[in-house]
Amino acid sequence: MVNFMKLVQNENMKIYRRARTWVMLGIILVLPVLLSMLLYFASNSDETITGFSAMQLDGFLLTFLITIFSVVLAAEAVAGEFTWGTIKLLLIRPWSRSSILLSKFIAVVLFSLLITAIGFLVTFLINMAFFGATNDINEYIPELNAGAGVLFNELGHLFWLNYVTTLVIIAFAFMLSSALRSNGLAIGLSISIVFTAQLWSHLFLMIDKPWIKYVLFLHLDLTQYANGRGGPIADDPLTLGFAISVLAVYFVLFNLISWTVFRKRDVAA
């Protein structure tokens, strides 16, 4: 166990020694501050901009960037070793391939959790500083009273729902990273899923078949199930629990493929 933790630590060191990682962290820190400042000054002439709507906007933008940043790291986690020619040096060490793969996955997940936590706290604190606890949350959730605690919980719910999606996309990107030798190809294909998910969702919704409820793309936006909403299929309402269950199956499947491919692939070339 101690040796495995050292392996995870080594993978984390690879991530945080790169300048790109600190640029990502800097963006997560600075972006909500700049955006909230713009919204605050815009609210002088537009009274519809309030604390809750500002937090929502910041939250959606940040969770999208968090997904992109996490996908970039996940997609190059294994493929990057082939691109840089370091895969043989990694495999000759006294660790199994399964341990190496798991340590890489854990390191990427830890990074995604870190930037999610930072994004959440910065978004909450900066909007509380600019807008306070007085907000328009009752317009969206009438049964709740406005207040800092309510804002904290609702913003946390938004980040949590989006992080579940991020985790599944990380698993998909990690699968491509394990299967492909090209760093750039793994990153490109993974990011394309993020940008085209809504398009694929709309295309599948045009198919009037019961099996479409199990399609991955329809459940990548879990916010469509928030507050009792029935999801993307109008005539077949679904629940948040069902959507998470579908995503969990895909998450396990992607990781099984990653593990199988990485354990069996030939690295002699």
Short mmCIF file of all heavy atoms in Angstrom, two decimals, residues 11-25 28 65-81 83-84 100-101 103-116 163 166 169-178 182-184 186-188 190-191 194:
data_model
loop_
_atom_site.label_atom_id
_atom_site.label_comp_id
_atom_site.label_asym_id
_atom_site.label_seq_id
_atom_site.Cartn_x
_atom_site.Cartn_y
_atom_site.Cartn_z
N GLU A 11 2.90 10.26 -9.81
CA GLU A 11 2.03 10.74 -10.90
C GLU A 11 1.55 12.16 -10.63
O GLU A 11 1.42 12.97 -11.55
CB GLU A 11 0.84 9.80 -11.07
CG GLU A 11 1.19 8.42 -11.58
CD GLU A 11 1.86 8.45 -12.94
OE1 GLU A 11 1.54 9.34 -13.76
OE2 GLU A 11 2.73 7.59 -13.19
N ASN A 12 1.29 12.47 -9.37
CA ASN A 12 0.90 13.85 -9.03
C ASN A 12 2.04 14.82 -9.29
O ASN A 12 1.81 15.95 -9.74
CB ASN A 12 0.48 13.91 -7.56
CG ASN A 12 -0.97 13.55 -7.35
OD1 ASN A 12 -1.87 14.30 -7.68
ND2 ASN A 12 -1.20 12.37 -6.80
N MET A 13 3.25 14.39 -9.00
CA MET A 13 4.41 15.25 -9.25
C MET A 13 4.55 15.54 -10.73
O MET A 13 4.92 16.66 -11.13
CB MET A 13 5.68 14.58 -8.72
CG MET A 13 5.76 14.53 -7.19
SD MET A 13 7.14 13.54 -6.57
CE MET A 13 8.53 14.46 -7.23
N LYS A 14 4.25 14.55 -11.58
CA LYS A 14 4.30 14.77 -13.02
C LYS A 14 3.32 15.85 -13.44
O LYS A 14 3.60 16.66 -14.34
CB LYS A 14 3.98 13.47 -13.77
CG LYS A 14 5.04 12.39 -13.67
CD LYS A 14 4.61 11.17 -14.47
CE LYS A 14 5.61 10.04 -14.36
NZ LYS A 14 5.17 8.84 -15.13
N ILE A 15 2.15 15.85 -12.80
CA ILE A 15 1.12 16.82 -13.15
C ILE A 15 1.51 18.23 -12.70
O ILE A 15 1.44 19.19 -13.48
CB ILE A 15 -0.23 16.42 -12.52
CG1 ILE A 15 -0.77 15.14 -13.16
CG2 ILE A 15 -1.25 17.55 -12.67
CD1 ILE A 15 -2.03 14.60 -12.52
N TYR A 16 1.96 18.35 -11.44
CA TYR A 16 2.17 19.68 -10.88
C TYR A 16 3.53 20.28 -11.19
O TYR A 16 3.79 21.44 -10.87
CB TYR A 16 1.94 19.64 -9.37
CG TYR A 16 0.50 19.35 -9.02
CD1 TYR A 16 0.11 18.07 -8.61
CD2 TYR A 16 -0.49 20.32 -9.15
CE1 TYR A 16 -1.21 17.79 -8.31
CE2 TYR A 16 -1.81 20.05 -8.85
CZ TYR A 16 -2.16 18.78 -8.44
OH TYR A 16 -3.48 18.51 -8.16
N ARG A 17 4.39 19.52 -11.84
CA ARG A 17 5.67 20.08 -12.27
C ARG A 17 5.55 20.83 -13.60
O ARG A 17 6.50 21.50 -14.01
CB ARG A 17 6.70 18.96 -12.41
CG ARG A 17 7.31 18.51 -11.09
CD ARG A 17 8.26 17.35 -11.29
NE ARG A 17 8.91 16.96 -10.04
CZ ARG A 17 9.70 15.91 -9.92
NH1 ARG A 17 9.93 15.14 -10.99
NH2 ARG A 17 10.25 15.61 -8.75
N ARG A 18 4.43 20.72 -14.26
CA ARG A 18 4.25 21.35 -15.55
C ARG A 18 3.64 22.74 -15.38
O ARG A 18 2.71 22.93 -14.61
CB ARG A 18 3.35 20.50 -16.45
CG ARG A 18 3.93 19.13 -16.73
CD ARG A 18 2.94 18.27 -17.48
NE ARG A 18 3.41 16.90 -17.56
CZ ARG A 18 2.66 15.88 -17.95
NH1 ARG A 18 1.41 16.09 -18.30
NH2 ARG A 18 3.16 14.66 -18.00
N ALA A 19 4.16 23.68 -16.14
CA ALA A 19 3.64 25.05 -16.07
C ALA A 19 2.18 25.11 -16.50
O ALA A 19 1.39 25.91 -15.98
CB ALA A 19 4.49 25.96 -16.96
N ARG A 20 1.81 24.25 -17.43
CA ARG A 20 0.43 24.22 -17.92
C ARG A 20 -0.57 23.99 -16.80
O ARG A 20 -1.66 24.58 -16.78
CB ARG A 20 0.29 23.12 -18.98
CG ARG A 20 -1.10 22.96 -19.56
CD ARG A 20 -1.18 21.72 -20.39
NE ARG A 20 -0.88 20.53 -19.59
CZ ARG A 20 -0.69 19.33 -20.11
NH1 ARG A 20 -0.74 19.16 -21.42
NH2 ARG A 20 -0.44 18.29 -19.32
N THR A 21 -0.22 23.12 -15.85
CA THR A 21 -1.11 22.83 -14.74
C THR A 21 -1.38 24.07 -13.91
O THR A 21 -2.53 24.34 -13.52
CB THR A 21 -0.49 21.74 -13.84
OG1 THR A 21 -0.29 20.55 -14.62
CG2 THR A 21 -1.40 21.43 -12.67
N TRP A 22 -0.35 24.86 -13.67
CA TRP A 22 -0.52 26.07 -12.87
C TRP A 22 -1.27 27.15 -13.64
O TRP A 22 -1.96 27.99 -13.04
CB TRP A 22 0.84 26.56 -12.39
CG TRP A 22 1.46 25.58 -11.46
CD1 TRP A 22 2.43 24.65 -11.75
CD2 TRP A 22 1.12 25.37 -10.09
NE1 TRP A 22 2.71 23.89 -10.65
CE2 TRP A 22 1.93 24.30 -9.61
CE3 TRP A 22 0.21 25.98 -9.22
CZ2 TRP A 22 1.86 23.84 -8.30
CZ3 TRP A 22 0.13 25.51 -7.91
CH2 TRP A 22 0.95 24.47 -7.47
N VAL A 23 -1.16 27.14 -14.96
CA VAL A 23 -1.97 28.04 -15.77
C VAL A 23 -3.45 27.68 -15.63
O VAL A 23 -4.31 28.56 -15.49
CB VAL A 23 -1.53 27.98 -17.25
CG1 VAL A 23 -2.52 28.76 -18.13
CG2 VAL A 23 -0.13 28.53 -17.42
N MET A 24 -3.75 26.38 -15.66
CA MET A 24 -5.13 25.93 -15.47
C MET A 24 -5.67 26.37 -14.12
O MET A 24 -6.79 26.89 -14.02
CB MET A 24 -5.20 24.40 -15.59
CG MET A 24 -4.92 23.84 -16.96
SD MET A 24 -4.98 22.02 -16.92
CE MET A 24 -4.58 21.63 -18.64
N LEU A 25 -4.87 26.17 -13.07
CA LEU A 25 -5.29 26.58 -11.73
C LEU A 25 -5.50 28.09 -11.65
O LEU A 25 -6.44 28.58 -11.01
CB LEU A 25 -4.25 26.14 -10.70
CG LEU A 25 -4.18 24.64 -10.41
CD1 LEU A 25 -2.93 24.32 -9.57
CD2 LEU A 25 -5.42 24.17 -9.70
N ILE A 28 -8.83 29.00 -13.21
CA ILE A 28 -9.94 28.66 -12.32
C ILE A 28 -10.07 29.68 -11.19
O ILE A 28 -11.17 29.99 -10.74
CB ILE A 28 -9.74 27.24 -11.74
CG1 ILE A 28 -9.77 26.20 -12.85
CG2 ILE A 28 -10.80 26.92 -10.70
CD1 ILE A 28 -11.08 26.12 -13.61
N LEU A 65 -14.98 24.41 -18.07
CA LEU A 65 -13.52 24.49 -18.14
C LEU A 65 -12.86 23.38 -17.33
O LEU A 65 -11.84 22.82 -17.74
CB LEU A 65 -13.04 25.85 -17.64
CG LEU A 65 -13.33 27.04 -18.55
CD1 LEU A 65 -12.87 28.33 -17.90
CD2 LEU A 65 -12.65 26.88 -19.91
N ILE A 66 -13.43 23.05 -16.18
CA ILE A 66 -12.90 21.98 -15.35
C ILE A 66 -12.92 20.66 -16.12
O ILE A 66 -11.96 19.88 -16.07
CB ILE A 66 -13.70 21.86 -14.04
CG1 ILE A 66 -13.36 23.03 -13.10
CG2 ILE A 66 -13.43 20.53 -13.34
CD1 ILE A 66 -14.29 23.17 -11.93
N THR A 67 -14.00 20.42 -16.85
CA THR A 67 -14.09 19.22 -17.66
C THR A 67 -13.01 19.20 -18.74
O THR A 67 -12.34 18.18 -18.95
CB THR A 67 -15.48 19.11 -18.32
OG1 THR A 67 -16.49 19.08 -17.29
CG2 THR A 67 -15.60 17.85 -19.16
N ILE A 68 -12.84 20.32 -19.43
CA ILE A 68 -11.83 20.42 -20.49
C ILE A 68 -10.43 20.16 -19.92
O ILE A 68 -9.65 19.36 -20.47
CB ILE A 68 -11.88 21.79 -21.18
CG1 ILE A 68 -13.21 21.98 -21.91
CG2 ILE A 68 -10.70 21.93 -22.15
CD1 ILE A 68 -13.40 21.03 -23.07
N PHE A 69 -10.10 20.84 -18.83
CA PHE A 69 -8.77 20.69 -18.24
C PHE A 69 -8.53 19.25 -17.77
O PHE A 69 -7.44 18.69 -17.96
CB PHE A 69 -8.60 21.64 -17.05
CG PHE A 69 -8.61 23.10 -17.43
CD1 PHE A 69 -8.86 24.08 -16.48
CD2 PHE A 69 -8.38 23.49 -18.74
CE1 PHE A 69 -8.86 25.43 -16.83
CE2 PHE A 69 -8.39 24.84 -19.09
CZ PHE A 69 -8.62 25.81 -18.14
N SER A 70 -9.53 18.65 -17.15
CA SER A 70 -9.40 17.28 -16.66
C SER A 70 -9.25 16.30 -17.80
O SER A 70 -8.47 15.34 -17.73
CB SER A 70 -10.61 16.91 -15.80
OG SER A 70 -10.75 17.76 -14.69
N VAL A 71 -10.00 16.54 -18.88
CA VAL A 71 -9.94 15.66 -20.05
C VAL A 71 -8.56 15.73 -20.70
O VAL A 71 -8.02 14.70 -21.13
CB VAL A 71 -11.04 16.05 -21.07
CG1 VAL A 71 -10.73 15.51 -22.45
CG2 VAL A 71 -12.38 15.52 -20.60
N VAL A 72 -7.97 16.91 -20.76
CA VAL A 72 -6.63 17.05 -21.34
C VAL A 72 -5.63 16.19 -20.57
O VAL A 72 -4.82 15.47 -21.16
CB VAL A 72 -6.20 18.53 -21.34
CG1 VAL A 72 -4.71 18.64 -21.68
CG2 VAL A 72 -7.02 19.31 -22.35
N LEU A 73 -5.68 16.25 -19.24
CA LEU A 73 -4.76 15.45 -18.43
C LEU A 73 -5.03 13.96 -18.56
O LEU A 73 -4.11 13.16 -18.66
CB LEU A 73 -4.85 15.87 -16.97
CG LEU A 73 -4.30 17.25 -16.61
CD1 LEU A 73 -4.42 17.48 -15.11
CD2 LEU A 73 -2.84 17.38 -17.03
N ALA A 74 -6.32 13.59 -18.56
CA ALA A 74 -6.68 12.17 -18.65
C ALA A 74 -6.29 11.59 -20.00
O ALA A 74 -5.81 10.45 -20.09
CB ALA A 74 -8.18 11.99 -18.40
N ALA A 75 -6.49 12.36 -21.05
CA ALA A 75 -6.24 11.87 -22.41
C ALA A 75 -4.76 11.66 -22.68
O ALA A 75 -4.40 10.84 -23.53
CB ALA A 75 -6.83 12.82 -23.44
N GLU A 76 -3.91 12.37 -21.98
CA GLU A 76 -2.47 12.21 -22.20
C GLU A 76 -1.80 11.38 -21.12
O GLU A 76 -0.60 11.13 -21.18
CB GLU A 76 -1.79 13.58 -22.29
CG GLU A 76 -1.68 14.30 -20.96
CD GLU A 76 -0.74 15.50 -21.03
OE1 GLU A 76 -0.45 15.94 -22.15
OE2 GLU A 76 -0.32 15.96 -19.96
N ALA A 77 -2.56 10.91 -20.14
CA ALA A 77 -1.97 10.20 -19.00
C ALA A 77 -1.16 8.99 -19.44
O ALA A 77 -0.04 8.77 -18.97
CB ALA A 77 -3.07 9.77 -18.03
N VAL A 78 -1.72 8.18 -20.33
CA VAL A 78 -1.02 7.01 -20.83
C VAL A 78 -0.44 7.27 -22.21
O VAL A 78 0.73 6.95 -22.49
CB VAL A 78 -1.96 5.78 -20.88
CG1 VAL A 78 -1.21 4.57 -21.42
CG2 VAL A 78 -2.51 5.48 -19.49
N ALA A 79 -1.25 7.86 -23.10
CA ALA A 79 -0.77 8.13 -24.46
C ALA A 79 0.46 9.02 -24.44
O ALA A 79 1.35 8.90 -25.30
CB ALA A 79 -1.88 8.77 -25.29
N GLY A 80 0.53 9.93 -23.48
CA GLY A 80 1.68 10.81 -23.38
C GLY A 80 2.98 10.06 -23.11
O GLY A 80 4.05 10.47 -23.57
N GLU A 81 2.89 8.94 -22.38
CA GLU A 81 4.09 8.14 -22.12
C GLU A 81 4.65 7.56 -23.42
O GLU A 81 5.86 7.44 -23.59
CB GLU A 81 3.76 7.01 -21.14
CG GLU A 81 3.23 7.46 -19.79
CD GLU A 81 4.32 8.03 -18.89
OE1 GLU A 81 5.50 8.00 -19.29
OE2 GLU A 81 3.98 8.51 -17.78
N THR A 83 4.06 9.02 -26.45
CA THR A 83 4.50 10.18 -27.22
C THR A 83 5.89 10.63 -26.79
O THR A 83 6.74 10.96 -27.63
CB THR A 83 3.50 11.33 -27.06
OG1 THR A 83 2.22 10.93 -27.53
CG2 THR A 83 3.96 12.56 -27.85
N TRP A 84 6.14 10.64 -25.49
CA TRP A 84 7.42 11.10 -24.97
C TRP A 84 8.47 9.99 -24.92
O TRP A 84 9.64 10.26 -24.59
CB TRP A 84 7.24 11.68 -23.56
CG TRP A 84 6.25 12.80 -23.51
CD1 TRP A 84 6.10 13.81 -24.42
CD2 TRP A 84 5.25 13.02 -22.51
NE1 TRP A 84 5.08 14.64 -24.06
CE2 TRP A 84 4.53 14.18 -22.88
CE3 TRP A 84 4.88 12.35 -21.34
CZ2 TRP A 84 3.48 14.68 -22.12
CZ3 TRP A 84 3.83 12.85 -20.59
CH2 TRP A 84 3.15 14.00 -20.98
N ILE A 100 0.05 0.82 -12.15
CA ILE A 100 0.46 2.02 -12.88
C ILE A 100 -0.76 2.74 -13.44
O ILE A 100 -0.90 3.96 -13.31
CB ILE A 100 1.43 1.65 -14.01
CG1 ILE A 100 2.76 1.17 -13.43
CG2 ILE A 100 1.66 2.84 -14.95
CD1 ILE A 100 3.71 0.59 -14.45
N LEU A 101 -1.66 1.97 -14.04
CA LEU A 101 -2.86 2.57 -14.63
C LEU A 101 -3.74 3.20 -13.57
O LEU A 101 -4.23 4.32 -13.74
CB LEU A 101 -3.64 1.50 -15.40
CG LEU A 101 -4.74 2.00 -16.33
CD1 LEU A 101 -4.13 2.76 -17.50
CD2 LEU A 101 -5.60 0.84 -16.84
N SER A 103 -2.88 4.30 -10.60
CA SER A 103 -2.23 5.48 -10.02
C SER A 103 -2.41 6.70 -10.92
O SER A 103 -2.63 7.82 -10.43
CB SER A 103 -0.75 5.22 -9.78
OG SER A 103 -0.04 5.06 -11.00
N LYS A 104 -2.33 6.50 -12.22
CA LYS A 104 -2.54 7.60 -13.16
C LYS A 104 -3.97 8.11 -13.09
O LYS A 104 -4.22 9.32 -13.10
CB LYS A 104 -2.19 7.15 -14.58
CG LYS A 104 -0.70 7.01 -14.85
CD LYS A 104 -0.44 6.58 -16.27
CE LYS A 104 1.05 6.59 -16.58
NZ LYS A 104 1.63 7.95 -16.56
N PHE A 105 -4.91 7.19 -13.03
CA PHE A 105 -6.32 7.58 -12.97
C PHE A 105 -6.62 8.35 -11.68
O PHE A 105 -7.30 9.37 -11.69
CB PHE A 105 -7.21 6.34 -13.08
CG PHE A 105 -8.68 6.66 -13.17
CD1 PHE A 105 -9.23 7.10 -14.36
CD2 PHE A 105 -9.51 6.53 -12.08
CE1 PHE A 105 -10.58 7.41 -14.47
CE2 PHE A 105 -10.86 6.82 -12.16
CZ PHE A 105 -11.38 7.26 -13.36
N ILE A 106 -6.11 7.84 -10.57
CA ILE A 106 -6.32 8.51 -9.28
C ILE A 106 -5.73 9.91 -9.29
O ILE A 106 -6.34 10.87 -8.79
CB ILE A 106 -5.73 7.68 -8.13
CG1 ILE A 106 -6.55 6.41 -7.92
CG2 ILE A 106 -5.68 8.49 -6.84
CD1 ILE A 106 -5.98 5.46 -6.89
N ALA A 107 -4.55 10.07 -9.87
CA ALA A 107 -3.91 11.39 -9.92
C ALA A 107 -4.75 12.38 -10.71
O ALA A 107 -4.90 13.54 -10.31
CB ALA A 107 -2.51 11.26 -10.54
N VAL A 108 -5.31 11.93 -11.84
CA VAL A 108 -6.16 12.81 -12.65
C VAL A 108 -7.43 13.18 -11.89
O VAL A 108 -7.86 14.34 -11.89
CB VAL A 108 -6.50 12.15 -14.00
CG1 VAL A 108 -7.51 13.00 -14.76
CG2 VAL A 108 -5.25 11.95 -14.83
N VAL A 109 -8.03 12.19 -11.22
CA VAL A 109 -9.26 12.45 -10.45
C VAL A 109 -8.98 13.42 -9.30
O VAL A 109 -9.77 14.33 -9.03
CB VAL A 109 -9.85 11.13 -9.91
CG1 VAL A 109 -10.98 11.41 -8.92
CG2 VAL A 109 -10.38 10.29 -11.07
N LEU A 110 -7.85 13.25 -8.63
CA LEU A 110 -7.50 14.17 -7.54
C LEU A 110 -7.33 15.60 -8.06
O LEU A 110 -7.75 16.56 -7.39
CB LEU A 110 -6.21 13.70 -6.86
CG LEU A 110 -6.33 12.44 -5.99
CD1 LEU A 110 -4.95 12.04 -5.47
CD2 LEU A 110 -7.29 12.66 -4.83
N PHE A 111 -6.71 15.73 -9.23
CA PHE A 111 -6.57 17.07 -9.82
C PHE A 111 -7.93 17.66 -10.14
O PHE A 111 -8.19 18.84 -9.87
CB PHE A 111 -5.71 17.00 -11.08
CG PHE A 111 -5.64 18.30 -11.83
CD1 PHE A 111 -4.80 19.32 -11.40
CD2 PHE A 111 -6.44 18.53 -12.94
CE1 PHE A 111 -4.74 20.53 -12.08
CE2 PHE A 111 -6.39 19.73 -13.62
CZ PHE A 111 -5.54 20.74 -13.19
N SER A 112 -8.82 16.85 -10.71
CA SER A 112 -10.15 17.36 -11.05
C SER A 112 -10.93 17.75 -9.80
O SER A 112 -11.67 18.74 -9.81
CB SER A 112 -10.92 16.30 -11.86
OG SER A 112 -11.24 15.17 -11.08
N LEU A 113 -10.77 16.98 -8.72
CA LEU A 113 -11.43 17.33 -7.46
C LEU A 113 -10.88 18.64 -6.90
O LEU A 113 -11.63 19.47 -6.37
CB LEU A 113 -11.24 16.21 -6.44
CG LEU A 113 -12.11 14.96 -6.62
CD1 LEU A 113 -11.64 13.86 -5.68
CD2 LEU A 113 -13.57 15.28 -6.38
N LEU A 114 -9.56 18.82 -7.01
CA LEU A 114 -8.93 20.04 -6.50
C LEU A 114 -9.45 21.27 -7.23
O LEU A 114 -9.87 22.24 -6.58
CB LEU A 114 -7.41 19.94 -6.66
CG LEU A 114 -6.63 21.21 -6.30
CD1 LEU A 114 -6.79 21.55 -4.83
CD2 LEU A 114 -5.15 21.05 -6.65
N ILE A 115 -9.45 21.25 -8.56
CA ILE A 115 -9.88 22.45 -9.28
C ILE A 115 -11.38 22.66 -9.15
O ILE A 115 -11.86 23.80 -9.20
CB ILE A 115 -9.46 22.41 -10.77
CG1 ILE A 115 -10.03 21.19 -11.49
CG2 ILE A 115 -7.95 22.44 -10.89
CD1 ILE A 115 -9.70 21.17 -12.98
N THR A 116 -12.14 21.57 -8.94
CA THR A 116 -13.58 21.72 -8.70
C THR A 116 -13.83 22.41 -7.36
O THR A 116 -14.66 23.32 -7.26
CB THR A 116 -14.28 20.35 -8.72
OG1 THR A 116 -14.12 19.75 -10.01
CG2 THR A 116 -15.77 20.50 -8.44
N TYR A 163 -19.86 17.58 -11.81
CA TYR A 163 -18.65 16.79 -11.58
C TYR A 163 -18.88 15.31 -11.88
O TYR A 163 -17.97 14.62 -12.34
CB TYR A 163 -18.14 16.94 -10.14
CG TYR A 163 -16.83 16.19 -9.96
CD1 TYR A 163 -15.65 16.70 -10.48
CD2 TYR A 163 -16.80 14.95 -9.32
CE1 TYR A 163 -14.46 16.01 -10.37
CE2 TYR A 163 -15.61 14.25 -9.21
CZ TYR A 163 -14.45 14.78 -9.73
OH TYR A 163 -13.27 14.09 -9.64
N THR A 166 -18.27 15.08 -15.40
CA THR A 166 -16.83 15.22 -15.64
C THR A 166 -16.10 13.91 -15.37
O THR A 166 -15.21 13.51 -16.13
CB THR A 166 -16.25 16.32 -14.74
OG1 THR A 166 -16.87 17.57 -15.07
CG2 THR A 166 -14.75 16.45 -14.93
N ILE A 169 -16.59 11.52 -18.26
CA ILE A 169 -15.82 11.94 -19.43
C ILE A 169 -14.32 11.71 -19.20
O ILE A 169 -13.58 11.37 -20.12
CB ILE A 169 -16.12 13.41 -19.77
CG1 ILE A 169 -17.59 13.58 -20.11
CG2 ILE A 169 -15.26 13.88 -20.95
CD1 ILE A 169 -18.02 15.00 -20.39
N ILE A 170 -13.86 11.88 -17.96
CA ILE A 170 -12.48 11.55 -17.63
C ILE A 170 -12.20 10.08 -17.91
O ILE A 170 -11.16 9.71 -18.48
CB ILE A 170 -12.18 11.87 -16.15
CG1 ILE A 170 -12.07 13.38 -15.93
CG2 ILE A 170 -10.88 11.21 -15.70
CD1 ILE A 170 -11.92 13.78 -14.48
N ALA A 171 -13.14 9.21 -17.51
CA ALA A 171 -12.97 7.77 -17.76
C ALA A 171 -12.92 7.47 -19.25
O ALA A 171 -12.13 6.63 -19.70
CB ALA A 171 -14.11 6.99 -17.11
N PHE A 172 -13.74 8.18 -20.04
CA PHE A 172 -13.72 8.00 -21.49
C PHE A 172 -12.38 8.45 -22.07
O PHE A 172 -11.78 7.76 -22.90
CB PHE A 172 -14.86 8.79 -22.13
CG PHE A 172 -14.86 8.75 -23.63
CD1 PHE A 172 -15.35 7.65 -24.31
CD2 PHE A 172 -14.36 9.82 -24.36
CE1 PHE A 172 -15.35 7.60 -25.70
CE2 PHE A 172 -14.35 9.79 -25.74
CZ PHE A 172 -14.84 8.67 -26.42
N ALA A 173 -11.91 9.62 -21.64
CA ALA A 173 -10.63 10.14 -22.13
C ALA A 173 -9.49 9.21 -21.72
O ALA A 173 -8.55 8.99 -22.48
CB ALA A 173 -10.39 11.54 -21.58
N PHE A 174 -9.58 8.66 -20.52
CA PHE A 174 -8.55 7.74 -20.03
C PHE A 174 -8.54 6.46 -20.85
O PHE A 174 -7.49 5.88 -21.12
CB PHE A 174 -8.80 7.44 -18.56
CG PHE A 174 -7.58 6.99 -17.82
CD1 PHE A 174 -6.62 7.91 -17.44
CD2 PHE A 174 -7.38 5.66 -17.50
CE1 PHE A 174 -5.48 7.51 -16.75
CE2 PHE A 174 -6.25 5.24 -16.82
CZ PHE A 174 -5.30 6.17 -16.45
N MET A 175 -9.73 6.01 -21.26
CA MET A 175 -9.83 4.82 -22.12
C MET A 175 -9.12 5.06 -23.45
O MET A 175 -8.36 4.21 -23.93
CB MET A 175 -11.30 4.47 -22.36
CG MET A 175 -11.54 3.30 -23.28
SD MET A 175 -13.28 3.08 -23.70
CE MET A 175 -13.57 4.53 -24.73
N LEU A 176 -9.37 6.23 -24.05
CA LEU A 176 -8.70 6.56 -25.32
C LEU A 176 -7.19 6.67 -25.11
O LEU A 176 -6.41 6.24 -25.96
CB LEU A 176 -9.25 7.87 -25.87
CG LEU A 176 -10.69 7.86 -26.39
CD1 LEU A 176 -11.06 9.24 -26.93
CD2 LEU A 176 -10.87 6.81 -27.48
N SER A 177 -6.80 7.21 -23.99
CA SER A 177 -5.37 7.35 -23.70
C SER A 177 -4.69 6.00 -23.59
O SER A 177 -3.55 5.82 -24.02
CB SER A 177 -5.18 8.14 -22.40
OG SER A 177 -3.82 8.33 -22.11
N SER A 178 -5.41 5.03 -23.02
CA SER A 178 -4.86 3.69 -22.88
C SER A 178 -4.82 2.94 -24.20
O SER A 178 -3.97 2.07 -24.41
CB SER A 178 -5.70 2.88 -21.87
OG SER A 178 -5.72 3.52 -20.61
N SER A 182 -1.08 7.97 -29.71
CA SER A 182 -0.93 9.39 -30.03
C SER A 182 -1.54 10.27 -28.96
O SER A 182 -2.74 10.19 -28.68
CB SER A 182 -1.60 9.69 -31.39
OG SER A 182 -1.64 11.09 -31.63
N ASN A 183 -0.71 11.08 -28.35
CA ASN A 183 -1.15 12.02 -27.32
C ASN A 183 -2.18 12.99 -27.89
O ASN A 183 -3.25 13.20 -27.31
CB ASN A 183 0.07 12.77 -26.79
CG ASN A 183 -0.24 13.65 -25.63
OD1 ASN A 183 -1.32 13.60 -25.07
ND2 ASN A 183 0.72 14.47 -25.23
N GLY A 184 -1.87 13.59 -29.04
CA GLY A 184 -2.76 14.59 -29.63
C GLY A 184 -4.09 14.01 -30.05
O GLY A 184 -5.15 14.65 -29.89
N ALA A 186 -5.67 11.36 -28.78
CA ALA A 186 -6.47 11.05 -27.59
C ALA A 186 -7.12 12.32 -27.04
O ALA A 186 -8.31 12.32 -26.67
CB ALA A 186 -5.60 10.39 -26.53
N ILE A 187 -6.36 13.40 -26.97
CA ILE A 187 -6.90 14.67 -26.47
C ILE A 187 -7.97 15.21 -27.41
O ILE A 187 -9.05 15.64 -26.98
CB ILE A 187 -5.77 15.71 -26.29
CG1 ILE A 187 -4.82 15.28 -25.17
CG2 ILE A 187 -6.35 17.09 -25.97
CD1 ILE A 187 -3.62 16.17 -25.01
N GLY A 188 -7.70 15.18 -28.73
CA GLY A 188 -8.64 15.71 -29.71
C GLY A 188 -9.97 14.97 -29.69
O GLY A 188 -11.04 15.61 -29.69
N SER A 190 -11.23 13.17 -27.25
CA SER A 190 -11.90 13.35 -25.96
C SER A 190 -12.60 14.71 -25.88
O SER A 190 -13.75 14.80 -25.44
CB SER A 190 -10.88 13.23 -24.82
OG SER A 190 -10.25 11.97 -24.84
N ILE A 191 -11.91 15.75 -26.30
CA ILE A 191 -12.50 17.09 -26.25
C ILE A 191 -13.67 17.20 -27.23
O ILE A 191 -14.65 17.91 -26.97
CB ILE A 191 -11.44 18.16 -26.53
CG1 ILE A 191 -10.44 18.21 -25.37
CG2 ILE A 191 -12.06 19.53 -26.76
CD1 ILE A 191 -9.35 19.24 -25.54
N VAL A 194 -16.87 16.40 -25.60
CA VAL A 194 -17.37 17.48 -24.75
C VAL A 194 -18.15 18.50 -25.57
O VAL A 194 -19.24 18.95 -25.18
CB VAL A 194 -16.21 18.16 -23.99
CG1 VAL A 194 -16.73 19.31 -23.13
CG2 VAL A 194 -15.45 17.16 -23.14
#
